[in-house]
Each structure stands twice: as structure tokens, then as C-alpha cells.
């Protein structure tokens, strides 16, 4: 079931150099959907492959928390307005877990092929955020015990399948990072309610099955 039709795909995914688009999106996530967010480190203006954080070897420039740290993530509108009022180009970082969705991610090529297979199966998906290198499938919050049991029961799980649970984070559209823009590959449906997301078990089962049947090699990225 495809969630994107016409202008739905453009929801919260307008491109730009910060300003109202990022602030509006951050406020929607935080206040309407109750997803705790915070501004991330930005890519270095002199070289987008470098990050403004102190790590010269940062592998995710502009796509992770730095100052403030992840624990500062909030749903408070006043804090969100203050952050993006002072740092209008900062990417939006979602603190996964707790009351917010978690995520399962794959390298972009494997994710795109898995998505086609899931659509053919009629698998209902929630929002899918995409960077040029990795796609993030949003799922319901899960515990480490639940995840451990799920993985233990599997004969095979691609090594490049990553889990963003409690204490994790992902970038959200319409952020711009050193690796490129974050966009919605499968956009949330418009409305005031928090978007529907599937259980992690259902998604992982379907993704692993799709990758196995299609013979997709998911590189370790």
C-alpha cells in the first residue's frame, strides 16, 4: 500500500537552506506527533564531507547530535523555536524509542529493492525517510529484549540491517547533511495524528524475506 500520492510526497520535505521549512517540520514532529527532536551538528560550510563536531573522521557529517546532546531531545515548542531560531540550518534529529518511533535501516540500494518487494507483497508500511546512502523504516517502539528475541529466532539477518531503538537517533526530512538531503521516500499521511507505523517483527520478517528471495546483496555500510 503506497502512502505517497501527489503532494503527499512533498509533505515536510521541501528543500532549502534552513529557515521556516526546518522549523515548521520540527514543530510538527514535536508538538503534533509528540516525537522528541533536537538540532544536529551541521556539515562544515567549507567542505560538506566534514562535520562541525570535533571528530575529524566523522562518518555522518551533519546527521547526528552534538551540542546539545541526545538527552536534550524535547517536544516543547518553545525550545524547538529557540533552537531553530538560533540555528536555522540545523538538521532535525529524532531521538528514537520511548514515546517516539524506532527505526530499522538499510543501505539505499538494498532498501529500494526491498521496498519494491514489500509493495508487491501488500505489506503496509509506515513512513520511510531516505538519505542518499541509507533508508530508515519507522516502526513502533521496541525493547532490547524484544529485539534480541527477534534476532535470535532468525537463521539469517543481513549485517547491514541496523536498528535504531531506545537511546538511538535518525535524521528527519527536510534536513540537509554532509551526505545529502534527507527526504521522505514514503511520506506520512497528512493530519494531526501521529503517523501509523508497523511492529518491528512484521517489518524485519518482511525485509529479510524480501532480501533473501530477491538475492539482494546488502553491503556493510
Amino acid at each position: 500500500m503506497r502512502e505517497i500520492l501527489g503532494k503527499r510526497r512533498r509533505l515536510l520535505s521541501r528543500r532549502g537552506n534552513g529557515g521556516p521549512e526546518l522549523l515548521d517540520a520540527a514543530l510538527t514532529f514535536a508538538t503534533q506527533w509528540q516525537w522528541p527532536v533536537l538540532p544536529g551538528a551541521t556539515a562544515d560550510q567549507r567542505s560538506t564531507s566534514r562535520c562541525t563536531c570535533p571528530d575529524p573522521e566523522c562518518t555522518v557529517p551533519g546527521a547526528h547530535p552534538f551540542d546539545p546532546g541526545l538527552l536534550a531531545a524535547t517536544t516543547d515548542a518553545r525550545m524547538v523555536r529557540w533552537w531553530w531560531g538560533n540555528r536555522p540550518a540545523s538538521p532535525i534529529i529524532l531521538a528514537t524509542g520511548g514515546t517516539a518511533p524506532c527505526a530499522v535501516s538499510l543501505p539505499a540500494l538494498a532498501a529500494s529493492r526491498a521496498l519494491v518487494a514489500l509493495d508487491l507483497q501488500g505489506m503496509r508500511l509506515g513512513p520511510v525517510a531516505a538519505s542518499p546512502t541509507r533508508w530508515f523504516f519507522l516502526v513502533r517502539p521496541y525493547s532490547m529484549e524484544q529485539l534480541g528475541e527477534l534476532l535470535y529466532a532468525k537463521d539469517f539477518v543481513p549485517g547491514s540491517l541496523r536498528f535504531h531503538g531506545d537511546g538511538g537517533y535518525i535524521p528527519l526530512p527536510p534536513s540537509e547533511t554532509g551526505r545529502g538531503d534527507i527526504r521522505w521516500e514514503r511520506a506520512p499521511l497528512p493530519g494531526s495524528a501521529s503517523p501509523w507505523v508497523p511492529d518491528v517483527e512484521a517489518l524485519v520478517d518482511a525485509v529479510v524475506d524480501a532480501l533473501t528471495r530477491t538475492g539482494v546483496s546488502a553491503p556493510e555500510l
Side-chain angles (χ1 to χ4, degrees):
M1 174 181 176
R2 293 192 64 83
E3 299 273 342
I4 298 175
L5 293 173
K7 64 182 178 181
R8 287 179 182 171
R9 186 166 188 168
R10 298 192 296 272
L11 177 69
L12 303 180
S13 61
R14 293 169 292 178
R15 296 180 62 181
N17 295 316
E21 293 84 3
L22 282 166
L23 174 58
D24 288 349
L27 285 170
T28 295
F29 300 139
T31 63
Q32 290 188 30
W33 299 349
Q34 292 297 293
W35 292 2
V37 298
L38 73 161
T42 56
D44 193 313
Q45 294 298 312
R46 296 165 296 179
S47 173
T48 55
S49 64
R50 294 180 59 86
C51 189
T52 53
C53 75
D55 183 2
E57 305 298 325
C58 180
T59 58
V60 285
H64 67 90
F66 168 53
D67 181 19
L70 185 63
L71 292 179
T74 185
T75 58
D76 183 78
R78 293 171 299 176
M79 196 72 238
V80 170
R81 290 184 184 279
W82 187 85
W83 274 334
W84 273 275
N86 287 279
R87 299 162 58 177
S90 292
I92 302 169
I93 302 297
L94 169 68
T96 54
T99 60
C102 294
V104 175
S105 69
L106 275 169
L109 177 59
S112 65
R113 292 179 179 174
L115 189 60
V116 171
L118 297 181
D119 281 340
L120 291 174
Q121 293 176 28
M123 171 78 183
R124 185 185 180 190
L125 295 172
V128 179
S131 77
T133 58
R134 182 164 283 268
W135 291 12
F136 305 88
F137 295 74
L138 298 189
V139 296
R140 291 179 186 172
Y142 55 79
S143 67
M144 291 304 295
E145 292 78 10
Q146 183 182 4
L147 179 61
E149 291 176 1
L150 172 63
L151 298 182
Y152 182 77
K154 290 289 179 191
D155 293 328
F156 165 75
V157 176
S160 58
L161 192 63
R162 294 181 185 168
F163 298 88
H164 310 264
D166 195 24
Y169 61 87
I170 63 169
L172 290 176
S175 302
E176 296 182 9
T177 74
R179 293 287 184 88
D181 292 349
I182 309 299
R183 60 181 176 80
W184 289 118
E185 176 63 29
R186 192 63 52 89
L189 292 174
S192 58
S194 182
W196 180 88
V197 291
D199 289 330
V200 66
E201 294 94 341
L203 181 70
V204 171
D205 285 346
V207 166
V208 171
D209 179 65
L211 293 179
T212 302
R213 288 188 298 103
T214 56
V216 174
S217 175
E220 303 292 325
L221 294 177

